[in-house]
Amino acid sequence: MNVAKSSYRVFSANSSVACTELAKKITERLGVELGKSVVFQESNQETRVDVKESVRGQNIFIIQTIPRDVNTAIMELLIMAYALKTSCAKNIIGVIPYFPYSKQCKMRKRGSIVCKLLASMLAKAGLTHIITMDLHQKEIQGFFSFPVDNLRASPFLIQYIQEEIPDYRNAIIVAKSPAAAKRAQSYAERLRLGLAVIHGEAQCSESDMADGRHSPPCVRNTTGHTGLELPSGKQQAPFPGIELPIMMAKEKPPITVVGDVGGRIAIIVDDIIDDVGDFVAAAEILKERGAYKIYIMATHGLLSADAPRLIEESAIDEVVVTNTVPHEVQKLQCPKIKTVDVSMILAEAIRRIHNGESMAYLFRNITVDD
């Protein structure tokens, strides 16, 4: 007996024009119409989702790009997923190009791993699969109880370098910190270019306090413990106090560049560009070391606060990001910001998942460290 293959629908979890732009590009490449739904905020700021067509027994893909109001976008995704689940959708796949809270994937002091919490919430809402791009840490995939396809934007950014940067053979790939060195090395190897790493820091920042750099204070306790007080008033034999070694505060050296950038085009690569202070500082030191052009390549262009103004006033010549996050307003404020379209790979991932095809083709020539 032949069982008819279930069809699929593609929905956008946000009704704003900026956020549905990527969804429309994906559906155009797939040759399907965007699913009919209404997502809006009521007068009391509650999110309401109305699905306007039947989804029973179908594979449903929810595209959610994350605007500046991150928490509202998360609630839109959760409510739409739950609405589709209760409407008897067969599978619910979330297409979340930029996964929010991905920077909060490690325990810091008395904080929490918010990324793990979000993964649990998505599973509870009814999602059965996620397609995302360039997670901040690849280990985030282990937070989920269902499959995660972590696509890469590097082929598109490398293509931009080869086609849009004149004399890119005279360029050098730069990691703005040792933590980004593996990603930069991956780009450098595929482009057959040299590698430079920026190490150190210009001054003490608030993040130093957040990571416990100056805590605990360097004090040695030399007073022995007097013993345990028992309810009867008797005292046990005293035992020696516990002496901890003196805690040395972490201290980074002054900012330096490991590698020769003199007379070259410097291309800084990273996964997220949000607060651009570090990038501006890196551009200044690269200019001082002789780089005559500076490009920044990043997958997710959050560009929060006054980032467009800082970029416009800096030594940075161009910032290239993908359209995983809407940033049309920032582009109007700063003409240095350029966009690379990644809807092609997202559309192909949707097609392959629906048809049960292998995803290996989308990861060809991708290194482990990318």
Side-chain angles (χ1 to χ4, degrees):
M1 177 178 178
N2 294 327
V3 179
K5 190 171 185 178
S6 61
S7 59
Y8 75 100
R9 302 291 293 160
V10 180
F11 288 86
S12 173
N14 194 305
S15 296
S16 66
V17 176
C19 294
T20 55
E21 182 179 353
L22 179 61
K24 289 178 179 178
K25 288 183 178 181
I26 292 173
T27 52
E28 286 175 4
R29 291 184 179 276
L30 290 170
V32 300
E33 292 184 358
L34 194 62
K36 297 179 176 63
S37 64
V38 178
V39 183
F40 62 95
Q41 307 295 318
E42 294 187 342
S43 57
N44 61 357
Q45 298 304 306
E46 289 184 357
T47 300
R48 182 175 291 274
V49 174
D50 289 330
V51 180
K52 299 295 186 180
E53 57 185 281
S54 174
V55 296
R56 183 178 295 272
Q58 300 185 56
N59 292 327
I60 306 299
F61 294 85
I62 308 174
I63 301 174
Q64 178 65 313
T65 52
I66 306 298
R68 293 198 177 196
D69 191 354
V70 177
N71 296 327
T72 299
I74 291 172
M75 285 305 301
E76 290 171 345
L77 178 60
L78 292 171
I79 295 172
M80 174 165 277
Y82 190 68
L84 294 167
K85 176 184 177 182
T86 54
S87 298
C88 299
K90 182 180 179 182
N91 293 301
I92 304 172
I93 300 96
V95 183
I96 315 170
Y98 167 65
F99 195 79
Y101 287 98
S102 59
K103 284 189 174 182
Q104 298 189 46
C105 60
K106 296 179 181 179
M107 179 68 76
R108 293 189 181 275
K109 290 191 175 180
R110 299 177 185 86
S112 61
I113 306 176
V114 184
C115 195
K116 166 63 175 171
L117 171 64
L118 181 55
S120 301
M121 292 167 64
L122 292 173
K124 192 69 175 177
L127 287 180
T128 58
H129 196 142
I130 276 184
I131 303 171
T132 187
M133 181 168 283
D134 282 337
L135 286 170
H136 187 58
Q137 297 288 340
K138 298 178 183 64
E139 293 78 9
I140 290 174
Q141 296 175 77
F143 292 162
F144 294 87
S145 57
F146 49 77
V148 177
D149 285 308
N150 182 27
L151 305 178
R152 307 293 197 275
S154 58
F156 298 90
L157 296 175
I158 287 174
Q159 183 181 9
Y160 183 94
I161 292 172
Q162 294 172 327
E163 296 178 357
E164 302 296 333
I165 298 181
D167 194 24
Y168 83 91
R169 291 291 182 187
N170 189 37
I172 185 168
I173 304 298
V174 180
K176 72 176 180 67
S177 68
K182 286 186 176 181
R183 182 186 300 272
Q185 181 182 357
S186 174
Y187 277 71
E189 289 174 351
R190 281 181 282 174
L191 288 165
R192 309 294 193 269
L193 299 176
L195 176 66
V197 180
I198 298 176
H199 179 52
E201 59 187 357
Q203 59 185 4
C204 182
S205 62
E206 291 181 3
S207 62
D208 301 341
M209 303 300 294
D211 65 9
R213 183 173 304 187
H214 302 293
S215 175
C218 301
V219 178
R220 183 190 293 271
N221 182 14
T222 58
T223 304
H225 198 287
T226 58
L228 297 177
E229 191 72 28
L230 298 178
S232 62
K234 295 181 181 180
Q235 202 174 40
Q236 285 185 345
F239 58 87
I242 300 174
E243 286 192 5
L244 296 175
I246 295 177
M247 306 296 289
M248 299 297 295
K250 292 189 292 184
E251 184 175 354
K252 291 185 180 179
I255 189 166
T256 56
V257 179
V258 181
D260 183 18
V261 299
R264 294 192 177 189
I265 301 171
I267 303 175
I268 304 174
V269 298
D270 213 337
D271 60 330
I272 299 173
I273 176 168
D274 187 4
D275 180 8
V276 299
D278 291 343
F279 291 93
V280 171
E284 290 177 356
I285 192 70
L286 291 171
K287 278 288 186 182
E288 292 175 4
R289 297 300 175 91
Y292 69 92
K293 271 193 176 181
I294 298 171
Y295 291 80
I296 294 177
M297 300 279 169
T299 304
H300 310 296
L302 305 186
L303 303 169
S304 302
D306 56 350
R309 178 184 62 81
L310 294 175
I311 293 171
E312 187 66 25
E313 297 173 355
S314 71
I316 300 169
D317 291 282
E318 197 168 281
V319 174
V320 182
V321 294
T322 71
N323 56 344
T324 56
V325 177
H327 53 265
E328 294 303 318
V329 174
Q330 291 90 329
K331 287 180 68 175
L332 294 175
Q333 297 171 349
C334 177
K336 291 182 179 180
I337 301 173
K338 308 297 181 184
T339 307
V340 174
D341 182 23
V342 293
S343 61
M344 179 191 301
I345 192 170
L346 294 171
E348 181 63 13
I350 290 174
R351 189 192 69 79
R352 285 175 175 270
I353 288 174
H354 172 65
N355 293 329
E357 300 176 18
S358 171
M359 298 285 284
Y361 178 78
L362 302 182
F363 295 93
R364 70 193 189 284
N365 301 325
I366 299 295
T367 62
V368 175
D369 297 324
D370 189 3

PDB file of all heavy atoms in Angstrom, residues 231-257:
ATOM      1  N   PRO A 231      25.669  21.488  70.813  1.00  0.00           N
ATOM      2  CA  PRO A 231      24.505  21.997  71.561  1.00  0.00           C
ATOM      3  C   PRO A 231      24.704  21.966  73.063  1.00  0.00           C
ATOM      4  O   PRO A 231      24.174  22.796  73.796  1.00  0.00           O
ATOM      5  CB  PRO A 231      23.380  21.051  71.122  1.00  0.00           C
ATOM      6  CG  PRO A 231      23.819  20.516  69.805  1.00  0.00           C
ATOM      7  CD  PRO A 231      25.303  20.432  69.864  1.00  0.00           C
ATOM      8  N   SER A 232      25.460  21.014  73.584  1.00  0.00           N
ATOM      9  CA  SER A 232      25.641  20.900  75.033  1.00  0.00           C
ATOM     10  C   SER A 232      26.608  21.932  75.586  1.00  0.00           C
ATOM     11  O   SER A 232      26.811  22.017  76.787  1.00  0.00           O
ATOM     12  CB  SER A 232      26.158  19.492  75.360  1.00  0.00           C
ATOM     13  OG  SER A 232      27.421  19.279  74.741  1.00  0.00           O
ATOM     14  N   GLY A 233      27.195  22.687  74.701  1.00  0.00           N
ATOM     15  CA  GLY A 233      28.163  23.666  75.161  1.00  0.00           C
ATOM     16  C   GLY A 233      29.566  23.134  75.141  1.00  0.00           C
ATOM     17  O   GLY A 233      30.528  23.876  75.303  1.00  0.00           O
ATOM     18  N   LYS A 234      29.731  21.810  74.945  1.00  0.00           N
ATOM     19  CA  LYS A 234      31.071  21.240  74.870  1.00  0.00           C
ATOM     20  C   LYS A 234      31.663  21.535  73.492  1.00  0.00           C
ATOM     21  O   LYS A 234      30.944  21.746  72.522  1.00  0.00           O
ATOM     22  CB  LYS A 234      31.025  19.730  75.111  1.00  0.00           C
ATOM     23  CG  LYS A 234      30.568  19.356  76.509  1.00  0.00           C
ATOM     24  CD  LYS A 234      30.567  17.852  76.688  1.00  0.00           C
ATOM     25  CE  LYS A 234      30.082  17.470  78.081  1.00  0.00           C
ATOM     26  NZ  LYS A 234      30.069  16.008  78.274  1.00  0.00           N
ATOM     27  N   GLN A 235      32.959  21.479  73.436  1.00  0.00           N
ATOM     28  CA  GLN A 235      33.645  21.810  72.198  1.00  0.00           C
ATOM     29  C   GLN A 235      34.518  20.645  71.770  1.00  0.00           C
ATOM     30  O   GLN A 235      35.201  20.037  72.598  1.00  0.00           O
ATOM     31  CB  GLN A 235      34.500  23.058  72.416  1.00  0.00           C
ATOM     32  CG  GLN A 235      34.824  23.808  71.141  1.00  0.00           C
ATOM     33  CD  GLN A 235      35.545  25.110  71.442  1.00  0.00           C
ATOM     34  OE1 GLN A 235      36.390  25.156  72.321  1.00  0.00           O
ATOM     35  NE2 GLN A 235      35.189  26.152  70.745  1.00  0.00           N
ATOM     36  N   GLN A 236      34.445  20.330  70.484  1.00  0.00           N
ATOM     37  CA  GLN A 236      35.321  19.307  69.955  1.00  0.00           C
ATOM     38  C   GLN A 236      36.745  19.826  69.904  1.00  0.00           C
ATOM     39  O   GLN A 236      36.998  21.024  69.976  1.00  0.00           O
ATOM     40  CB  GLN A 236      34.877  18.898  68.544  1.00  0.00           C
ATOM     41  CG  GLN A 236      33.635  18.015  68.532  1.00  0.00           C
ATOM     42  CD  GLN A 236      33.325  17.556  67.122  1.00  0.00           C
ATOM     43  OE1 GLN A 236      33.852  18.100  66.171  1.00  0.00           O
ATOM     44  NE2 GLN A 236      32.463  16.558  67.013  1.00  0.00           N
ATOM     45  N   ALA A 237      37.664  18.895  69.767  1.00  0.00           N
ATOM     46  CA  ALA A 237      39.055  19.314  69.623  1.00  0.00           C
ATOM     47  C   ALA A 237      39.188  20.186  68.384  1.00  0.00           C
ATOM     48  O   ALA A 237      38.645  19.847  67.324  1.00  0.00           O
ATOM     49  CB  ALA A 237      39.955  18.087  69.517  1.00  0.00           C
ATOM     50  N   PRO A 238      39.855  21.304  68.507  1.00  0.00           N
ATOM     51  CA  PRO A 238      39.993  22.191  67.350  1.00  0.00           C
ATOM     52  C   PRO A 238      40.781  21.520  66.236  1.00  0.00           C
ATOM     53  O   PRO A 238      41.634  20.672  66.478  1.00  0.00           O
ATOM     54  CB  PRO A 238      40.735  23.390  67.933  1.00  0.00           C
ATOM     55  CG  PRO A 238      41.448  22.875  69.123  1.00  0.00           C
ATOM     56  CD  PRO A 238      40.584  21.807  69.681  1.00  0.00           C
ATOM     57  N   PHE A 239      40.457  21.901  64.988  1.00  0.00           N
ATOM     58  CA  PHE A 239      41.217  21.392  63.856  1.00  0.00           C
ATOM     59  C   PHE A 239      41.782  22.577  63.086  1.00  0.00           C
ATOM     60  O   PHE A 239      41.237  23.687  63.145  1.00  0.00           O
ATOM     61  CB  PHE A 239      40.333  20.510  62.954  1.00  0.00           C
ATOM     62  CG  PHE A 239      39.122  21.211  62.410  1.00  0.00           C
ATOM     63  CD1 PHE A 239      39.178  21.943  61.235  1.00  0.00           C
ATOM     64  CD2 PHE A 239      37.912  21.128  63.095  1.00  0.00           C
ATOM     65  CE1 PHE A 239      38.046  22.576  60.753  1.00  0.00           C
ATOM     66  CE2 PHE A 239      36.791  21.771  62.600  1.00  0.00           C
ATOM     67  CZ  PHE A 239      36.851  22.496  61.435  1.00  0.00           C
ATOM     68  N   PRO A 240      42.882  22.394  62.391  1.00  0.00           N
ATOM     69  CA  PRO A 240      43.533  23.527  61.714  1.00  0.00           C
ATOM     70  C   PRO A 240      42.600  24.190  60.713  1.00  0.00           C
ATOM     71  O   PRO A 240      41.792  23.527  60.066  1.00  0.00           O
ATOM     72  CB  PRO A 240      44.726  22.879  61.006  1.00  0.00           C
ATOM     73  CG  PRO A 240      44.918  21.561  61.685  1.00  0.00           C
ATOM     74  CD  PRO A 240      43.575  21.133  62.167  1.00  0.00           C
ATOM     75  N   GLY A 241      42.697  25.503  60.589  1.00  0.00           N
ATOM     76  CA  GLY A 241      41.919  26.236  59.583  1.00  0.00           C
ATOM     77  C   GLY A 241      42.403  25.904  58.180  1.00  0.00           C
ATOM     78  O   GLY A 241      43.541  25.482  57.978  1.00  0.00           O
ATOM     79  N   ILE A 242      41.532  26.062  57.229  1.00  0.00           N
ATOM     80  CA  ILE A 242      41.871  25.760  55.838  1.00  0.00           C
ATOM     81  C   ILE A 242      42.498  26.999  55.221  1.00  0.00           C
ATOM     82  O   ILE A 242      41.866  28.058  55.175  1.00  0.00           O
ATOM     83  CB  ILE A 242      40.622  25.349  55.044  1.00  0.00           C
ATOM     84  CG1 ILE A 242      40.012  24.108  55.673  1.00  0.00           C
ATOM     85  CG2 ILE A 242      40.952  25.110  53.587  1.00  0.00           C
ATOM     86  CD1 ILE A 242      38.699  23.698  55.045  1.00  0.00           C
ATOM     87  N   GLU A 243      43.730  26.876  54.776  1.00  0.00           N
ATOM     88  CA  GLU A 243      44.418  28.003  54.163  1.00  0.00           C
ATOM     89  C   GLU A 243      44.405  27.828  52.652  1.00  0.00           C
ATOM     90  O   GLU A 243      44.878  26.830  52.126  1.00  0.00           O
ATOM     91  CB  GLU A 243      45.859  28.087  54.656  1.00  0.00           C
ATOM     92  CG  GLU A 243      45.985  28.606  56.085  1.00  0.00           C
ATOM     93  CD  GLU A 243      47.422  28.957  56.421  1.00  0.00           C
ATOM     94  OE1 GLU A 243      48.263  28.881  55.494  1.00  0.00           O
ATOM     95  OE2 GLU A 243      47.688  29.295  57.559  1.00  0.00           O
ATOM     96  N   LEU A 244      43.856  28.816  51.978  1.00  0.00           N
ATOM     97  CA  LEU A 244      43.847  28.802  50.525  1.00  0.00           C
ATOM     98  C   LEU A 244      45.070  29.547  50.009  1.00  0.00           C
ATOM     99  O   LEU A 244      45.529  30.505  50.633  1.00  0.00           O
ATOM    100  CB  LEU A 244      42.584  29.473  49.989  1.00  0.00           C
ATOM    101  CG  LEU A 244      41.266  28.785  50.325  1.00  0.00           C
ATOM    102  CD1 LEU A 244      40.096  29.629  49.823  1.00  0.00           C
ATOM    103  CD2 LEU A 244      41.210  27.415  49.688  1.00  0.00           C
ATOM    104  N   PRO A 245      45.605  29.132  48.893  1.00  0.00           N
ATOM    105  CA  PRO A 245      46.724  29.893  48.317  1.00  0.00           C
ATOM    106  C   PRO A 245      46.248  31.267  47.875  1.00  0.00           C
ATOM    107  O   PRO A 245      45.063  31.481  47.608  1.00  0.00           O
ATOM    108  CB  PRO A 245      47.150  29.040  47.113  1.00  0.00           C
ATOM    109  CG  PRO A 245      45.944  28.233  46.776  1.00  0.00           C
ATOM    110  CD  PRO A 245      45.242  27.969  48.077  1.00  0.00           C
ATOM    111  N   ILE A 246      47.162  32.198  47.809  1.00  0.00           N
ATOM    112  CA  ILE A 246      46.811  33.557  47.376  1.00  0.00           C
ATOM    113  C   ILE A 246      46.294  33.501  45.947  1.00  0.00           C
ATOM    114  O   ILE A 246      46.918  32.921  45.059  1.00  0.00           O
ATOM    115  CB  ILE A 246      48.029  34.484  47.462  1.00  0.00           C
ATOM    116  CG1 ILE A 246      48.448  34.648  48.926  1.00  0.00           C
ATOM    117  CG2 ILE A 246      47.724  35.837  46.832  1.00  0.00           C
ATOM    118  CD1 ILE A 246      49.677  35.495  49.115  1.00  0.00           C
ATOM    119  N   MET A 247      45.118  34.089  45.726  1.00  0.00           N
ATOM    120  CA  MET A 247      44.499  34.081  44.401  1.00  0.00           C
ATOM    121  C   MET A 247      45.065  35.225  43.576  1.00  0.00           C
ATOM    122  O   MET A 247      44.934  36.393  43.933  1.00  0.00           O
ATOM    123  CB  MET A 247      42.974  34.227  44.527  1.00  0.00           C
ATOM    124  CG  MET A 247      42.324  33.194  45.437  1.00  0.00           C
ATOM    125  SD  MET A 247      42.502  31.527  44.816  1.00  0.00           S
ATOM    126  CE  MET A 247      41.399  31.591  43.429  1.00  0.00           C
ATOM    127  N   MET A 248      45.727  34.884  42.495  1.00  0.00           N
ATOM    128  CA  MET A 248      46.305  35.899  41.613  1.00  0.00           C
ATOM    129  C   MET A 248      45.248  36.375  40.633  1.00  0.00           C
ATOM    130  O   MET A 248      44.635  35.578  39.922  1.00  0.00           O
ATOM    131  CB  MET A 248      47.497  35.314  40.838  1.00  0.00           C
ATOM    132  CG  MET A 248      48.635  34.846  41.743  1.00  0.00           C
ATOM    133  SD  MET A 248      49.359  36.204  42.691  1.00  0.00           S
ATOM    134  CE  MET A 248      50.056  37.165  41.357  1.00  0.00           C
ATOM    135  N   ALA A 249      45.021  37.673  40.583  1.00  0.00           N
ATOM    136  CA  ALA A 249      44.038  38.237  39.662  1.00  0.00           C
ATOM    137  C   ALA A 249      44.509  38.068  38.216  1.00  0.00           C
ATOM    138  O   ALA A 249      45.700  38.195  37.911  1.00  0.00           O
ATOM    139  CB  ALA A 249      43.824  39.721  39.957  1.00  0.00           C
ATOM    140  N   LYS A 250      43.550  37.752  37.343  1.00  0.00           N
ATOM    141  CA  LYS A 250      43.888  37.630  35.926  1.00  0.00           C
ATOM    142  C   LYS A 250      44.246  38.992  35.365  1.00  0.00           C
ATOM    143  O   LYS A 250      43.614  39.993  35.690  1.00  0.00           O
ATOM    144  CB  LYS A 250      42.713  37.048  35.145  1.00  0.00           C
ATOM    145  CG  LYS A 250      42.412  35.611  35.474  1.00  0.00           C
ATOM    146  CD  LYS A 250      41.403  35.025  34.523  1.00  0.00           C
ATOM    147  CE  LYS A 250      40.042  35.647  34.688  1.00  0.00           C
ATOM    148  NZ  LYS A 250      39.025  35.026  33.821  1.00  0.00           N
ATOM    149  N   GLU A 251      45.231  39.021  34.514  1.00  0.00           N
ATOM    150  CA  GLU A 251      45.638  40.288  33.915  1.00  0.00           C
ATOM    151  C   GLU A 251      46.141  40.032  32.507  1.00  0.00           C
ATOM    152  O   GLU A 251      47.038  39.215  32.285  1.00  0.00           O
ATOM    153  CB  GLU A 251      46.734  40.959  34.745  1.00  0.00           C
ATOM    154  CG  GLU A 251      47.119  42.332  34.219  1.00  0.00           C
ATOM    155  CD  GLU A 251      48.117  43.035  35.111  1.00  0.00           C
ATOM    156  OE1 GLU A 251      48.421  42.501  36.190  1.00  0.00           O
ATOM    157  OE2 GLU A 251      48.590  44.109  34.721  1.00  0.00           O
ATOM    158  N   LYS A 252      45.544  40.703  31.537  1.00  0.00           N
ATOM    159  CA  LYS A 252      45.970  40.558  30.155  1.00  0.00           C
ATOM    160  C   LYS A 252      47.037  41.600  29.828  1.00  0.00           C
ATOM    161  O   LYS A 252      47.026  42.703  30.377  1.00  0.00           O
ATOM    162  CB  LYS A 252      44.778  40.728  29.212  1.00  0.00           C
ATOM    163  CG  LYS A 252      43.773  39.591  29.276  1.00  0.00           C
ATOM    164  CD  LYS A 252      42.696  39.777  28.240  1.00  0.00           C
ATOM    165  CE  LYS A 252      41.669  38.646  28.296  1.00  0.00           C
ATOM    166  NZ  LYS A 252      40.595  38.830  27.304  1.00  0.00           N
ATOM    167  N   PRO A 253      47.942  41.271  28.910  1.00  0.00           N
ATOM    168  CA  PRO A 253      48.967  42.240  28.516  1.00  0.00           C
ATOM    169  C   PRO A 253      48.360  43.352  27.677  1.00  0.00           C
ATOM    170  O   PRO A 253      47.214  43.247  27.222  1.00  0.00           O
ATOM    171  CB  PRO A 253      49.940  41.391  27.695  1.00  0.00           C
ATOM    172  CG  PRO A 253      49.092  40.287  27.139  1.00  0.00           C
ATOM    173  CD  PRO A 253      48.068  39.999  28.201  1.00  0.00           C
ATOM    174  N   PRO A 254      49.107  44.418  27.432  1.00  0.00           N
ATOM    175  CA  PRO A 254      48.612  45.479  26.534  1.00  0.00           C
ATOM    176  C   PRO A 254      48.300  44.907  25.158  1.00  0.00           C
ATOM    177  O   PRO A 254      48.882  43.901  24.739  1.00  0.00           O
ATOM    178  CB  PRO A 254      49.787  46.468  26.485  1.00  0.00           C
ATOM    179  CG  PRO A 254      50.573  46.190  27.720  1.00  0.00           C
ATOM    180  CD  PRO A 254      50.420  44.740  28.000  1.00  0.00           C
ATOM    181  N   ILE A 255      47.403  45.538  24.470  1.00  0.00           N
ATOM    182  CA  ILE A 255      46.939  45.018  23.194  1.00  0.00           C
ATOM    183  C   ILE A 255      48.077  44.983  22.178  1.00  0.00           C
ATOM    184  O   ILE A 255      48.817  45.946  22.002  1.00  0.00           O
ATOM    185  CB  ILE A 255      45.748  45.862  22.672  1.00  0.00           C
ATOM    186  CG1 ILE A 255      45.102  45.209  21.457  1.00  0.00           C
ATOM    187  CG2 ILE A 255      46.163  47.296  22.382  1.00  0.00           C
ATOM    188  CD1 ILE A 255      43.759  45.800  21.106  1.00  0.00           C
ATOM    189  N   THR A 256      48.242  43.837  21.544  1.00  0.00           N
ATOM    190  CA  THR A 256      49.298  43.642  20.554  1.00  0.00           C
ATOM    191  C   THR A 256      48.741  42.842  19.384  1.00  0.00           C
ATOM    192  O   THR A 256      47.709  42.176  19.495  1.00  0.00           O
ATOM    193  CB  THR A 256      50.498  42.879  21.152  1.00  0.00           C
ATOM    194  OG1 THR A 256      50.031  41.631  21.690  1.00  0.00           O
ATOM    195  CG2 THR A 256      51.167  43.685  22.253  1.00  0.00           C
ATOM    196  N   VAL A 257      49.456  42.879  18.261  1.00  0.00           N
ATOM    197  CA  VAL A 257      49.075  42.123  17.072  1.00  0.00           C
ATOM    198  C   VAL A 257      50.155  41.081  16.803  1.00  0.00           C
ATOM    199  O   VAL A 257      51.331  41.431  16.627  1.00  0.00           O
ATOM    200  CB  VAL A 257      48.899  43.032  15.849  1.00  0.00           C
ATOM    201  CG1 VAL A 257      48.521  42.206  14.622  1.00  0.00           C
ATOM    202  CG2 VAL A 257      47.834  44.088  16.117  1.00  0.00           C
TER     203      VAL A 257
END
